[in-house]
Amino acid sequence: MVKMLLFWLLILNTFEGSRSSLSRIAGGQDAKEGEWPWMVYFKILPFKGKPLDVVDCGGSLIDKNWVLTAAHCFDESLKWWKSKVILGAYQLDSSRDNRQTRSMKKVIIHEQYSSPAKGSDIALVELDSPVSSNAYIRPITLAGEAQAFNETSECWATGWGDVGTNEALKPPRTLQEVQLPIIDNKSCQKMQRGLQIRKEMMCAGLKRGGKDTCQGDSGGPLVCKERNSWVQVGIVSFGYGKGCARSKHPGIYTRVSSYRTWIKNILTSET
């Protein structure tokens, strides 16, 4: 009887170990195809003479012509005008009929941006032609100032970035999702003593660590559920310190509601 019990305990421990080894986006999981139809992938090319590695970033479709992302995705000397914007993607390493690819017509970086830690890490990308909405490609609604979200809200981040510190997402590079609680700025500031958490920023993650966005997820959306609809509340910006999903080091996001007027003015003036 004891031997049989030990046998089943061994089997259970092996199974649990297998489950934990499948964690993604730092503690997340594979998304379902079409589950996050506003998700965008940027493949940004470097200039000649620089490393051949492309810059991978995420973004969110907010209009048939416009994508919202992080300003720091365009920090380096990059051929953004020759780079690709991929919408409707699910597994990056396999071609799918529902995928639409566009080029960047224009990149507008917030005029106050200098580095992620100083805030205003937000940019708008105008597509060279409008996208066609369908079950796999659809804009996300942006959160307004009056909408409040907290640790009880259901919020998720998505992306194709690393699944852990220096651990790349393995082929076929399936879109990852992770549920993250919002951490209020006051509590976040206590954990990030060497950094000023500005009102235009927000934090999300577990205080004990284990779940987070990571390198390559930059610019992607943090969305929260309100009634039966999703709204975008944040943009993946940066993490303070080294590594991802560390204890007392939640991810830091650009607070979308703080830039609604900026976004609206650009979309209005450029249309």
Side-chain angles (χ1 to χ4, degrees), residues 9 40 62 77 125 182 201:
L9 283 174
V40 173
I62 61 170
S77 297
V125 173
I182 301 295
M201 299 174 177

Side-chain angles (χ1 to χ4, degrees), residues 58-241:
S60 54
L61 184 69
I62 61 170
D63 176 88
K64 63 181 180 179
N65 293 297
W66 291 91
V67 172
L68 186 65
T69 188
H72 78 261
C73 288
F74 302 95
D75 272 355
E76 304 296 330
S77 297
L78 301 165
K79 292 182 179 178
W80 61 261
W81 56 92
K82 289 188 176 181
S83 303
K84 296 301 179 185
V85 184
I86 301 174
L87 307 99
Y90 178 56
Q91 294 178 328
L92 294 180
D93 294 330
S94 62
S95 249
R96 307 190 77 86
D97 292 337
N98 52 19
R99 185 179 298 192
Q100 295 181 36
T101 302
R102 297 289 185 273
S103 295
M104 303 183 204
K105 179 180 178 181
K106 187 181 295 183
V107 175
I108 301 175
I109 295 172
H110 196 280
E111 56 275 9
Q112 294 180 0
Y113 172 76
S114 60
S115 70
K118 293 183 179 180
S120 299
D121 189 10
I122 184 171
L124 282 166
V125 173
E126 185 178 9
L127 305 176
D128 64 337
S129 63
V131 297
S132 302
S133 295
N134 54 45
Y136 302 96
I137 300 173
R138 189 173 71 248
I140 180 71
T141 300
L142 302 182
E145 289 281 1
Q147 293 173 294
F149 298 93
N150 54 41
E151 67 276 2
T152 65
S153 305
E154 182 185 350
C155 302
W156 292 77
T158 47
W160 289 277
D162 288 355
V163 298
T165 304
N166 299 319
E167 184 183 352
L169 178 64
K170 294 179 180 179
R173 292 194 291 168
T174 303
L175 179 63
Q176 300 298 297
E177 62 181 18
V178 63
Q179 186 171 5
L180 299 170
I182 301 295
I183 299 175
D184 67 89
N185 280 27
K186 186 177 180 180
S187 298
C188 189
Q189 184 65 75
K190 290 179 180 178
M191 291 184 278
Q192 313 283 5
R193 296 188 181 276
L195 173 74
Q196 181 186 357
I197 304 298
R198 303 167 186 267
K199 64 180 181 179
E200 298 85 9
M201 299 174 177
M202 61 187 302
C203 303
L206 299 176
K207 293 180 181 180
R208 67 175 183 273
K211 292 188 177 185
D212 197 4
T213 47
C214 205
Q215 281 72 27
D217 293 320
S218 292
L222 176 68
V223 301
C224 295
K225 201 167 192 178
E226 186 177 56
R227 298 186 179 90
N228 292 320
S229 300
W230 294 100
V231 296
Q232 183 173 352
V233 301
I235 301 167
V236 179
S237 184
F238 69 106
Y240 186 61

